[in-house]
Amino acid sequence: MRVVSWMVHRQGEPMVRTEREEAAEAGEVVIRVAGCGVCHTDLGFFYEGVPTKHGFPLCLGHEISGRVVQAGAGAESWMGRDVVVPAVIPCGSCDACRAGHGSVCPSQIFPGNDVHGGFGSHVKVPARGLCAVPDLTDARLNPSGVDLASLSVVADAVSTPYQAIARSGLAASDLAVFVGAGGVGGFGVQIAAAVGARVVAIDVDPARLDAISRHGAELTLRADVLDAKELKAAVRELAKKHAVPTWRQKIFETSGTAAGQATAFSLLGHGGYLGVVGFTSERVEIRLSNLMAFDAKAEGNWGCLPELYPKALDLVLSGQVRVAPFIEKRPLDSINDTFGALRARRLTARPVLVPEG
Amino acid sequence: MRVVSWMVHRQGEPMVRTEREEAAEAGEVVIRVAGCGVCHTDLGFFYEGVPTKHGFPLCLGHEISGRVVQAGAGAESWMGRDVVVPAVIPCGSCDACRAGHGSVCPSQIFPGNDVHGGFGSHVKVPARGLCAVPDLTDARLNPSGVDLASLSVVADAVSTPYQAIARSGLAASDLAVFVGAGGVGGFGVQIAAAVGARVVAIDVDPARLDAISRHGAELTLRADVLDAKELKAAVRELAKKHAVPTWRQKIFETSGTAAGQATAFSLLGHGGYLGVVGFTSERVEIRLSNLMAFDAKAEGNWGCLPELYPKALDLVLSGQVRVAPFIEKRPLDSINDTFGALRARRLTARPVLVPEG
């Protein structure tokens, strides 16, 4: 079938609307894109020279929702279904996958990196790992009334902190601290609140903090106003107030900055946990031995295993995690403007690009 | 009863042989010390101003084996038994302990830090958590023929890497890399080999590497000769030879140096694991985001939970972990000389101080 993709030809040069033929082969599906979120990872590929696995020309975009409109052999059961496409699709059958290490599957498919992604009318992906979306017109299945395009952010911005939080073992009445309350961190705050944790959000942007204070953050702290000691004191004070010991305090670095990493690391106490969710290529100077002295742990998180997506999706459908206030739908043909605006920090919400028609 | 302790009065000033009265209260035992290992932690307290929880005068020493010669109420069943005293004795009943976080129990007892330690004729400790030593004269129970004084190193130098290795999930045919092949790292190599892993030891001391190459290290690498890239290439080559993927490579930092930590961190690959076992107060500059990009984990390790000691002890009794080649028994009254010699790196083996008589 004839599909449209916005192709990157050279780093930083305007993406070009391109038509091409696409056909689902065995085990694959072609999805008509409902929405595709723009992630900072895309900016890294496009502006900063972070190399993509598949060379240019390449269509970016890994935060995809849509409807299956063509199915290859063995994938017929997906035909006509609404789906969220995991940002990282492990092969499911190699040694790493079978040992539960699907996140590091060497044959994983990352749309918009390994193959053409979701900034287009359609995308072709393996059917394995697709997350089925129920009938969104049924209010019992979709009490929040979210639409399919908005569910695109479940593919990464919601599911990635979901996995990081699940790995941390965060439980009700624990304390969760998010250093960085942007896309990933903001949804992280909501997920942690849904778990029943008390949540602190730290950011340099007062507007972000204001928004997230209405969606689960009990305490918001400005990293541009308070220094590391003051941030730590404020977190400790809240923990003391609610009698949460350090080993029930889970810190999540979701800013993807060296400053944020230093802050997050400094918040670790005895038996503490640090989830490294954001990415920066910068280095940071830390006293790594604190992990030993505190019997603490720092764990990175790459994507989210497909088997966790249904639970992450349920949080959104049920309204426990609100998507609408944190995204802005924009037409796909605004892609070059949208990338520029996101890079220039002119957007407060996460842009979701919606194909025309 | 009358006991002898070597007391620290001031940082770095010779310890003084001192007699005092000691009596086991409820839940406590007095142990006649068979041997007490000297650890780098003791040097930190004595020379480097690392603060002890109990102020000076204090008797150091937390690596203790001996026989129970007095038992308080409720601890009578321990009377006359040979034991290893865990270096970290959690209270066993607080929220942290009940949640499996005994290593960060706020009421933990660390002999030679919270209370008088093992550099004396006797030591008084809580009975909880003691590790019973079987009849060492019975060759079936003690095929290695180890003596009680030598078992003192099970209290820390053997049990600490034991827990770190257990936490890492190291399995047969995995690759274990120890950065630092001194006391803790050397026993770590042997424990990892006993698990069935392939083991690499990295150190700056060729004598240590030579010794450990005869006790489980398949490959030894000199950190003073090879740079970070060469070390990494050599580890990768061995992993490739044995087809061990990065997610089955467990790195253990056992040097307690910033250089060692930088090396250890650089060895992490996709799905990798770094156990931070050694301690240094130095900071290190690393790209923390590698944990995210590699979906990897760095975990600190403080001591060893008492419930793991029997398994660590079994490895020594069975001869799978050899103690004799790596320790040197010295008379307790050589304590000041021994500390000086260890600090000056004149000792290749771990000193175990044995009380006279």
Side-chain angles (χ1 to χ4, degrees):
Chain A
M1 61 190 302
R2 203 75 185 157
V3 305
V4 169
S5 293
W6 284 81
M7 305 296 276
V8 181
H9 286 269
R10 280 175 199 271
Q11 186 186 321
E13 288 187 11
M15 289 169 265
V16 179
R17 186 180 188 284
T18 312
E19 291 194 17
R20 63 193 164 81
E21 278 298 313
E22 194 68 280
E25 302 191 24
E28 294 180 338
V29 294
V30 172
I31 293 167
R32 189 177 66 227
V33 175
C36 185
V38 187
C39 178
H40 278 271
T41 308
D42 295 310
L43 300 189
F45 291 146
F46 187 60
Y47 290 113
E48 294 158 27
V50 176
T52 50
K53 298 252 185 73
H54 179 295
F56 297 153
L58 176 68
C59 176
L60 301 176
H62 57 270
E63 207 169 62
I64 307 164
S65 58
R67 177 164 291 181
V68 176
V69 293
Q70 191 182 87
E76 297 86 350
S77 66
W78 287 101
M79 193 62 197
R81 300 198 67 173
D82 290 343
V83 295
V84 171
V85 182
V88 173
I89 310 170
C91 81
S93 56
C94 70
D95 286 349
C97 284
R98 283 185 285 126
H101 288 280
S103 299
V104 297
C105 165
S107 308
Q108 64 182 244
I109 300 288
F110 183 142
N113 182 9
D114 293 295
V115 296
H116 291 307
F119 296 136
S121 64
H122 297 75
V123 65
K124 183 178 81 170
V125 293
R128 62 172 190 266
L130 286 177
C131 176
V133 173
D135 179 2
L136 296 178
T137 64
D138 184 335
R140 289 164 308 175
L141 300 176
N142 180 21
S144 71
V146 68
D147 64 21
L148 185 58
S150 302
L151 286 179
S152 61
V153 294
V154 172
D156 186 358
V158 174
S159 55
T160 294
Y162 183 87
Q163 174 167 290
I165 289 167
R167 284 179 171 184
S168 79
L170 186 75
S173 304
D174 285 358
L175 186 71
V177 182
F178 290 83
V179 182
V184 168
F187 290 121
V189 167
Q190 295 194 71
I191 296 164
V195 168
R198 299 184 179 280
V199 188
V200 180
I202 300 175
D203 205 297
V204 294
D205 181 340
R208 278 183 179 171
L209 292 175
D210 183 53
I212 206 64
S213 70
R214 293 190 295 277
H215 290 89
E218 176 174 344
L219 176 67
T220 60
L221 298 169
R222 285 188 54 182
D224 56 334
V225 172
L226 303 174
D227 68 20
K229 274 197 178 172
E230 291 166 326
L231 291 171
K232 190 167 180 170
V235 172
R236 288 279 182 275
E237 191 184 322
L238 186 73
K240 194 176 173 187
K241 176 179 162 195
H242 296 304
V244 184
T246 48
W247 50 274
R248 283 176 43 211
Q249 297 174 21
K250 317 289 183 180
I251 320 298
F252 300 93
E253 208 301 307
T254 41
S255 79
T257 66
Q261 290 181 341
T263 297
F265 197 83
S266 76
L267 292 173
L268 275 173
H270 286 92
Y273 180 94
L274 169 62
V276 181
V277 188
F279 179 81
T280 168
S281 55
E282 285 180 85
R283 297 159 71 88
V284 61
E285 196 188 74
I286 54 176
R287 202 174 82 151
L288 193 64
S289 300
N290 282 6
L291 294 181
M292 178 271 193
F294 293 157
D295 205 62
K297 193 188 297 186
E299 188 169 24
N301 186 80
W302 176 256
C304 176
L305 292 177
E307 48 265 43
L308 297 180
Y309 274 72
K311 289 181 183 175
L313 176 62
D314 280 350
L315 288 176
V316 175
L317 295 177
S318 68
Q320 292 177 275
V321 170
R322 300 290 298 176
V323 166
F326 300 96
I327 66 170
E328 179 190 349
K329 283 184 265 184
R330 298 166 70 103
L332 174 58
D333 60 14
S334 78
I335 185 167
N336 288 306
D337 287 348
T338 297
F339 267 57
L342 188 62
R343 185 192 195 195
R345 299 183 179 277
R346 289 200 309 271
L347 304 180
T348 51
R350 191 172 187 88
V352 171
L353 295 177
V354 177
E356 42 272 33
Chain B
M1 62 189 300
R2 204 74 186 154
V3 306
V4 169
S5 293
W6 285 80
M7 305 296 275
V8 181
H9 286 268
R10 280 175 199 273
Q11 185 186 321
E13 287 187 11
M15 287 168 267
V16 180
R17 186 182 188 283
T18 310
E19 291 194 17
R20 64 191 165 81
E21 277 298 313
E22 195 66 281
E25 299 191 26
E28 295 180 338
V29 294
V30 173
I31 293 166
R32 189 174 70 227
V33 175
C36 186
V38 186
C39 177
H40 279 269
T41 308
D42 295 311
L43 300 188
F45 291 146
F46 187 59
Y47 290 113
E48 293 158 30
V50 176
T52 51
K53 296 250 184 79
H54 179 296
F56 296 152
L58 176 69
C59 175
L60 300 176
H62 57 270
E63 206 169 64
I64 308 163
S65 59
R67 178 165 292 183
V68 176
V69 293
Q70 193 183 84
E76 297 86 349
S77 66
W78 287 100
M79 191 65 197
R81 301 196 67 172
D82 292 342
V83 295
V84 171
V85 182
V88 172
I89 311 171
C91 80
S93 56
C94 70
D95 286 349
C97 284
R98 282 183 286 128
H101 287 281
S103 298
V104 297
C105 166
S107 308
Q108 65 182 246
I109 300 288
F110 183 142
N113 182 9
D114 293 295
V115 297
H116 291 308
F119 296 135
S121 64
H122 297 77
V123 65
K124 183 178 81 169
V125 292
R128 62 174 189 265
L130 287 175
C131 176
V133 173
D135 179 2
L136 297 177
T137 64
D138 184 335
R140 290 166 307 175
L141 301 176
N142 180 22
S144 69
V146 68
D147 64 20
L148 185 58
S150 303
L151 287 180
S152 60
V153 294
V154 172
D156 186 359
V158 174
S159 54
T160 294
Y162 183 86
Q163 173 168 290
I165 289 166
R167 285 181 172 183
S168 78
L170 186 76
S173 304
D174 285 356
L175 187 71
V177 182
F178 290 82
V179 181
V184 168
F187 290 122
V189 167
Q190 294 193 73
I191 295 163
V195 169
R198 301 185 177 281
V199 189
V200 179
I202 300 175
D203 205 297
V204 294
D205 181 341
R208 279 183 178 171
L209 291 176
D210 183 54
I212 207 63
S213 71
R214 292 190 296 276
H215 290 88
E218 177 173 343
L219 175 67
T220 61
L221 299 169
R222 285 186 57 180
D224 56 334
V225 172
L226 303 175
D227 67 20
K229 273 197 177 173
E230 292 166 326
L231 291 171
K232 190 167 179 169
V235 171
R236 289 279 182 275
E237 189 183 325
L238 186 73
K240 192 175 175 187
K241 178 179 161 195
H242 296 304
V244 183
T246 48
W247 52 273
R248 283 175 44 210
Q249 298 175 20
K250 317 288 182 178
I251 319 299
F252 300 93
E253 207 302 308
T254 42
S255 78
T257 66
Q261 289 180 342
T263 297
F265 197 84
S266 77
L267 292 173
L268 275 173
H270 285 92
Y273 180 95
L274 169 61
V276 182
V277 187
F279 179 82
T280 170
S281 55
E282 284 179 87
R283 297 160 72 88
V284 61
E285 196 187 77
I286 55 177
R287 202 174 83 151
L288 192 63
S289 301
N290 282 5
L291 294 181
M292 179 273 194
F294 293 158
D295 206 62
K297 191 188 300 188
E299 188 169 25
N301 186 79
W302 176 255
C304 177
L305 292 176
E307 49 264 42
L308 297 179
Y309 274 73
K311 289 182 183 174
L313 176 62
D314 280 350
L315 288 176
V316 175
L317 295 176
S318 68
Q320 291 177 275
V321 171
R322 300 290 298 174
V323 165
F326 299 96
I327 66 169
E328 179 189 348
K329 282 184 266 187
R330 297 165 71 105
L332 174 58
D333 60 14
S334 78
I335 185 168
N336 287 307
D337 286 349
T338 298
F339 267 57
L342 189 61
R343 185 192 195 195
R345 301 184 176 275
R346 290 202 307 273
L347 304 180
T348 51
R350 190 172 187 88
V352 171
L353 295 176
V354 177
E356 41 273 33

